[in-house]
Amino acid sequence: MAKRRGYHFALLVYFLMCTAQELAASRAGYEYIVEADAWLRLHIVPATWSDARLRCHLEGGVLASPTTTAIATAMSAMMADSKMTTRFVFIGVHALISKGDFMSLDGVPLANLSIRWREWEPNNVKNNEDCVTIDGAGEANDVSCDSPHPYFCRKETAKMTVNKCGTTADGYKLEPRTGSCYKLHRLARNWHRAAMACHAEEAHLAVINSNLESQVLKEIFAAVPNNVIKSGDPNFAFVGVWDWNEHGEWLTVFGESLPEAGFDGWSPNEPNNAGGQEFCGSIKRDGLLNDYPCLIRLPFICEITPK
Ligand code: 2F8
Ligand code: CA
């Protein structure tokens, strides 16, 4: 009997281990590469090299380079498995610092990377090929940094822990009064970049659905005084509303009107479209809405709503 119980216990342990591995194999779009103890994500929506680099950075990773043969092999396998319609994928290798001197983003020279050039490459067409793609066979080609391609991001295992807000990003705090998690970013970005930063953290620009939530955001903003905000005007923080048609039709990032969302509390005398370019939504330190130019950088608040 004891022997049988031991057998069942071993089976249970084995089952739990398999499930854990299964769960560990894929998280937030990333796949675990055992041989490299690193996580890779293939973004199939094409982006320019610098946008790809930024997106990986905002996810807490880097635009990945085939630093070892294990990573190079994993990249080829992921490209083969993907639903990508294009052949070439950006990697973190570039010659933007010194033309012709290709290196990874952390400065490892080409000679120390697992890179094989395709025949006749690199050829620096029009003197404008400072970025590098690989194809499914793992062969590299120098290309323009400005034409969009899919891309690989890499994250280290230490940055893959999912917190109670359901994201691997740090800085999110659960607010019991609304059930959402929030993070105020102190490094200012323009409204679209702010939205991108929130999405990279599996969040969205905060949407105010009640007076209570406006109060919550006011308190979160108050906890970060002016002198702590790193850049941008510390009196405003971007949130997830915008005048999408630039004619006063304010919508949330989920496409609802402000009354539909449950909150349309504008700060006194707002929206005033000061300077004629205020088509994105912010809050003032009173927790109420203010229209603000989309292209000027501000601190911003991301939100993760419970699933
Ligand atoms: O708070 C009043 C007013 O302050 C500024 O304009 C002078 C804001 N815009 C910028 O700082 C660019 C306005 O959005 C705001 O209404
Ligand atoms: Ca305004």
Side-chain angles (χ1 to χ4, degrees), residues 54-74:
L54 177 63
R55 175 67 194 223
C56 295
H57 171 73
L58 294 173
E59 286 180 3
V62 291
L63 188 58
S65 295
T67 42
T68 62
T69 47
I71 294 280
T73 307

Side-chain angles (χ1 to χ4, degrees), residues 12 30 69 80 127 138 144 161 189 192 205 235 244 273 294 296:
L12 180 70
Y30 281 79
T69 47
N127 193 29
S144 159
T161 311
R189 297 190 184 279
H192 288 88
L205 274 172
N235 297 304
W244 74 281
N273 197 13
C294 303
I296 299 185

Side-chain angles (χ1 to χ4, degrees), residues 236 266 269-274 278 282 284 289-293:
F236 307 92
W266 290 95
N269 306 318
E270 305 295 350
N272 62 356
N273 197 13
E278 298 203 312
S282 63
K284 292 189 184 179
L289 295 168
N290 170 50
D291 54 346
Y292 197 87

